[in-house]
Amino acid sequence: MTIKEYNTAVKVFGDPLYRFIYRSIKERERANDIVQDSFEKLWMQVTEVDFLTVKSWLFSTAYNRMIDVIRKDSRLVMVEYYDDSSLMESDTSGDLNEVLHKALERLPAPQRAVILLRDYEGYSYQEISSITGLSEAQVKVYIYRGRVSLRNYLTKTGQSIYR
Amino acid sequence: MKSFSENIKELLRRYFEGSATDSESIKAEEYLIRHPEVMARYEEKNILPLKPFADDIFDGRSSIRSASEYDDEQFLLLAAAAAEGDLADPMMADFLEIIEADQERKAVAQSFELLRLKPGKERWPGGKKMIRSHSFGNNIKAVSMTIGIAAAVCGLLLFGPAINRELIVPSQSLSLAIPSTTEAEANRSDILIQAGMAVRKVSPVKAHESNGFRKVSTPVNLIPQTMPEELPVYEKRLVGSFGAVLPELEAEKYTGLATVTPRNIPPNQQKKLLDNWMITGLTNMAISVAEEKKDKDAVDFAGHRIEEINRLLGWDMQLEKKLDENGELKAVSFQSGLLCFSAPVKNK
């Protein structure tokens, strides 16, 4: 990859990567650090990474960095598991997308990540599998169960999810 | 013979390891959707390879064929899979049968299609910091350009006469369109070369008696009726020289410069003017390159490189910066024993 291609990668993939990480851990500063680390790493290997594969390389690198951060940070581990008992009684104020993102925060980190990769970036199961290191079967299971959890959250908080 | 329970465990193990065939995967997914508790257990483990299950996780039920036998949790997983477009034919048939028979479940199934997250508008605050400068690359190009020009000029000095010997054509092959122009006038003429296809006029910044450049005053309208047959060969050599020393140039783009044709070649001036013609081509090339790769830093870098070449090879090339009243660089001029030109520099 050339310097020009590297800069293109920064401009084109920086924001989506940041959104993915930020929505996964909900901490702007840390998300910024993780994305910067990923691009630093890319710069170190700029001649070895092909521009055609740089997007999945970046997402994979950032995802692994994020998992490391989550494992080391107890505050982030706290939101690892979905907890019905802490549901708000009603959450009908925001639009559906906002409520979905709130519901997303309650999912375990791997479920959150695979759903974000699927919805934000439109990645296939195979691509998500290569980014996260999970098997395709696990990716599917996480997505199905994640969707069911999202729906359950919306139902319990009174958000209308019917057309 | 393995029991059904063992077969299922083996099937799931292969499925989660990713070694199951397509048909096995369909069976495994069907089983998992119908047994959410098994799926949850796999999910919680989140580690592959999976450890063996205890026997009690399999309830011994055979495959469910009646749509009504799907409980709510099973149905939700089925609906989630359907919304992702993942249901294979037999499962899809079950699913359609269920939702057609139960309007409430149909609405639930449709609700899954709304569960799609849309990205927000957050911007990455650190993006600008990570952009890398091209200045190093420009400097490298500037050096390439400088060395290229120097090498081309050097090549002319060394090989020019040999080329000319090959290409000297009989004087009668060129006849002058304006016979009144005398040889003396031609010698006095200030024209370097009337390059028919040159895209830029060469403007030496300083007259050098020693380098063959003189100030242009009156062009001499000497138009040969025929051109030397060997000229295309000469042009190819010129293009080849450029291509060899300036590999980043796009050949097609600069072909026009290379095919500059010497229109005004008095028979007895062929050698000198052909040399000049080559030099003019080089000069135009240099200006083109300089204008395309304008960069203040590149000029400084090129200046240092020229000093180094002078020191190493004993040459006397000069690259001068022309500054405006604010001290900003506005042009550069290059001078050597054979070549001089000036080119504007646009500050970034």
Side-chain angles (χ1 to χ4, degrees), chain B residues 239-258:
Chain B
V239 175
S241 298
F242 289 153
V245 297
L246 296 172
E248 77 257 28
L249 295 180
E250 298 166 38
E252 297 82 11
K253 193 170 177 182
Y254 291 91
T255 300
L257 291 171

Side-chain angles (χ1 to χ4, degrees), chain A residues 25-94:
Chain A
I25 61 174
K26 288 297 284 179
E27 278 198 31
R28 288 184 189 279
E29 201 170 319
R30 208 177 291 244
N32 183 28
D33 289 345
I34 290 171
V35 176
Q36 280 195 3
D37 285 352
S38 304
F39 276 102
E40 286 287 357
K41 197 169 177 184
L42 175 63
W43 178 248
M44 301 291 284
Q45 301 177 30
V46 71
T47 56
E48 294 157 31
V49 179
D50 193 304
F51 185 66
L52 296 175
T53 59
V54 71
K55 186 181 177 188
S56 60
W57 189 97
L58 282 165
F59 274 84
S60 179
T61 304
Y63 174 80
N64 289 320
R65 181 84 187 98
M66 179 183 76
I67 293 297
D68 285 345
V69 169
I70 287 173
R71 282 180 183 150
K72 287 175 187 168
D73 192 323
S74 57
R75 283 179 305 145
L76 294 170
V77 175
M78 283 172 65
V79 292
E80 275 278 289
Y81 293 100
Y82 178 75
D83 179 9
D84 267 358
S85 62
S86 64
L87 286 177
M88 295 159 59
E89 287 193 356
S90 177
D91 193 357
T92 55
S93 54

Side-chain angles (χ1 to χ4, degrees), chain B residues 17 19 53 66 108 129 141 290 310 317 324 334 340-342:
Chain B
E17 281 180 353
S19 59
F53 278 134
S66 167
V108 170
K129 286 183 201 166
K141 285 177 182 173
N310 287 343
M317 298 188 293
D324 63 16
F334 176 81
C340 69
F341 66 88
S342 65

Side-chain angles (χ1 to χ4, degrees), chain B residues 47-166:
Chain B
I47 298 169
L48 291 176
L50 298 163
K51 294 174 185 172
F53 278 134
D55 285 342
D56 63 355
I57 62 114
F58 180 60
D59 61 9
R61 283 186 297 175
S62 58
S63 180
I64 300 167
R65 283 294 163 223
S66 167
S68 61
E69 289 185 46
Y70 283 89
D71 66 22
D72 283 346
E73 194 173 358
Q74 290 169 339
F75 175 74
L76 288 174
L77 287 169
L78 192 68
E84 298 295 327
D86 291 341
L87 288 188
D89 283 344
M91 296 284 284
M92 194 65 193
D94 276 0
F95 178 71
L96 291 174
E97 188 184 332
I98 294 168
I99 61 173
E100 286 309 317
D102 186 336
Q103 290 304 305
E104 192 178 333
R105 282 189 161 181
K106 188 175 186 178
V108 170
Q110 287 174 340
S111 72
F112 273 91
E113 292 170 16
L114 300 175
L115 302 176
R116 293 286 184 275
L117 295 152
K118 293 170 192 159
K121 293 179 179 173
E122 299 91 356
R123 303 296 303 271
W124 176 33
K128 286 181 183 171
K129 286 183 201 166
M130 301 308 292
I131 295 287
R132 304 290 175 171
S133 167
H134 284 268
S135 60
F136 181 72
N138 282 342
N139 288 341
I140 292 296
K141 285 177 182 173
V143 171
S144 301
M145 181 184 79
T146 307
I147 293 175
I149 292 170
V153 173
C154 185
L156 277 178
L157 287 169
L158 296 174
F159 303 112
I163 294 170
N164 287 335
R165 275 198 298 280
E166 289 172 18

Side-chain angles (χ1 to χ4, degrees), chain B residues 24 27-28 57 75 88 95-96 99 104 107 118 161 178 186 207 211 213-214 236 249 251 270 289 299 301-302 339:
Chain B
E24 286 173 335
K27 283 180 190 170
I57 62 114
F75 175 74
F95 178 71
L96 291 174
I99 61 173
E104 192 178 333
K118 293 170 192 159
I178 306 174
N211 68 7
F213 288 109
R214 288 176 291 258
K236 283 178 188 170
L249 295 180
Q270 280 185 356
V289 173
V299 171
F301 207 86
L339 181 66

Side-chain angles (χ1 to χ4, degrees), chain B residues 173-185:
Chain B
S173 68
L174 289 173
S175 59
L176 303 179
I178 306 174
S180 62
T181 303
T182 64
E183 183 178 320
E185 285 170 334

